[in-house]
Amino acid sequence: MFTRRNFLKTAAGATAFGAGIGTATLATAKAPFQPSQAPGFYRMAFGSFEVTAVSDGTIPLDLPDLYMNTTPEAARAALKAAFQATPTPTSVNAYLINTGDRLVLIDAGTGSYLGPDLGRLIGNIAAAGYRPEDIDDVILTHIHTDHSGGLSAGGERLFPKATLRVNARELQFWLETPEADRPPTAPPHHFDEAAESLGPYLAAGKVETFADDAEVLPGFGSILRAGHTPGHSSIVVTSGDQKLVIWGDITHGEVLQFDEPGVAIEFDVDEEAAVRTRAVAFEEAARDMYLVAGAHIAFPGLGHVRRDATNFDWVPVTYTNT
């Protein structure tokens, strides 16, 4: 029979039981939660070269509101089906190539422009066993701030020995286009940030341009992939019979645009050209089966592209600890 006395006994017992749980929990929960990951680099052999993917960090992006030629609802559903939340943590990757004779960095991260979750490139280069002053060349896929913002700080070059190498039309667009001629798809602050980041290298005479589809350095070629920006270029690294295409911003993420290559993103300077470029890049990568590195594919952003039932699919490299 339920009585007030029974209730009080039950409540007292429950309180004692709960206190015991609390005491036990407090007694065993001695280690605090750790909010940080291990240093962000991933290394792999590539022919006679060594390739190190280096993370500049991740940034949460509301991708469904940034994608174009689709609806936010459709994009959100596609991301959810791939177990990706919105906002979506989006990687910013750079790649360090050791040829044995030269140390070449492809893209330079964000620096201090895009907040504390990014700008970690220098620290992760150090964690990978190198120093900024060891780097002989920095090659840019393009001059958007998340690829060039980490070149300089306070008017000083962060890679003091390096020659900066960039596609000629890309350099001309960001540093020489009169304000009246700038397209509305290229925000004014991107031009200002380009001048700030590249300025110290220009002043030091440490900038070299390369032509469309031209060699950049021995072992390093380029493919003009215009659209995302006017001189956006994939960098082709070859060693023996191995081929790696570091393709910059062909995609943002590794889900929606592989199934729907016609989906553009708000950051594209020329949306239609970017869509055409992506179709060519996907087709070529799937056909020739070479290794791909993507700046905004989940770190380390290394893998292959294959055809599947819907269009294309991203296949990341298999982790190895050697």
Side-chain angles (χ1 to χ4, degrees):
M1 180 178 177
F2 182 81
T3 66
R4 182 174 178 275
R5 179 174 294 179
N6 287 340
F7 172 75
L8 292 173
K9 285 183 178 180
T10 303
T15 301
F17 179 68
I21 291 177
T23 302
T25 302
L26 290 172
T28 58
K30 295 179 181 179
F33 292 113
Q34 300 296 334
S36 60
Q37 298 284 14
F41 68 91
Y42 180 79
R43 195 157 15 236
M44 62 182 294
F46 180 76
S48 63
F49 295 173
E50 175 191 84
V51 174
T52 304
V54 187
S55 173
D56 191 61
T58 62
I59 184 170
L61 292 180
D62 198 349
L63 290 174
D65 289 335
L66 296 171
Y67 285 137
M68 305 172 75
N69 304 332
T70 185
T71 65
E73 293 76 20
R76 196 169 289 109
L79 291 168
K80 184 178 180 181
F83 305 99
Q84 293 195 12
T86 304
T88 305
T90 305
S91 293
V92 177
N93 307 323
Y95 298 91
L96 194 55
I97 316 298
N98 190 340
T99 71
D101 298 317
R102 304 186 75 85
L103 195 58
V104 182
L105 178 66
I106 315 297
D107 287 335
T110 64
S112 60
Y113 285 104
L114 295 177
D117 291 338
L118 295 174
R120 303 185 180 191
L121 184 71
I122 296 292
N124 285 332
I125 287 174
Y130 297 106
R131 301 174 303 164
E133 54 266 36
D134 295 333
I135 293 172
D136 297 290
D137 304 272
V138 179
I139 305 173
L140 298 183
T141 59
H142 62 299
I143 303 181
H144 269 160
T145 305
D146 55 324
H147 297 256
S148 65
L151 287 169
S152 306
E156 299 293 329
R157 290 172 287 142
L158 293 179
F159 305 99
K161 180 183 173 184
T163 298
L164 179 62
R165 302 181 185 275
V166 62
N167 175 276
R169 72 169 69 214
E170 182 76 357
L171 187 71
Q172 182 179 30
F173 176 77
W174 290 108
L175 297 186
E176 299 180 20
T177 304
E179 190 170 344
D181 296 336
R182 297 173 182 176
T185 49
H189 67 88
H190 285 181
F191 290 91
D192 297 337
E193 291 161 2
E196 290 172 0
S197 299
L198 275 68
Y201 294 83
L202 290 162
K206 299 287 283 184
V207 177
E208 298 286 341
T209 60
F210 55 87
D212 300 345
D213 304 312
E215 182 183 71
V216 184
L217 290 167
F220 295 80
S222 68
I223 307 170
L224 180 66
R225 301 290 199 198
H228 183 63
T229 64
H232 179 270
S233 298
S234 293
I235 305 304
V236 183
V237 184
T238 55
S239 179
D241 61 354
Q242 302 279 328
K243 180 176 179 179
L244 164 65
V245 177
I246 301 172
W247 69 5
D249 285 10
I250 293 296
T251 72
H252 289 76
E254 61 281 352
V255 178
L256 186 62
Q257 289 173 303
F258 284 93
D259 283 336
E260 301 180 51
V263 171
I265 197 162
E266 186 177 292
F267 308 130
D268 293 332
V269 173
D270 184 335
E271 172 193 327
E272 293 183 1
V275 167
R276 292 193 300 269
T277 289
R278 182 163 36 258
V280 171
F282 281 0
E283 184 64 43
E284 182 184 279
R287 182 190 68 226
D288 296 346
M289 297 185 290
Y290 51 64
L291 186 65
V292 168
H296 301 304
I297 293 175
F299 184 78
L302 292 161
H304 292 86
V305 180
R306 67 180 177 189
R307 280 203 165 275
D308 65 8
T310 54
N311 241 319
F312 296 94
D313 189 26
W314 173 251
V315 184
V317 295
T318 301
Y319 174 83
T320 173
N321 65 349
T322 58

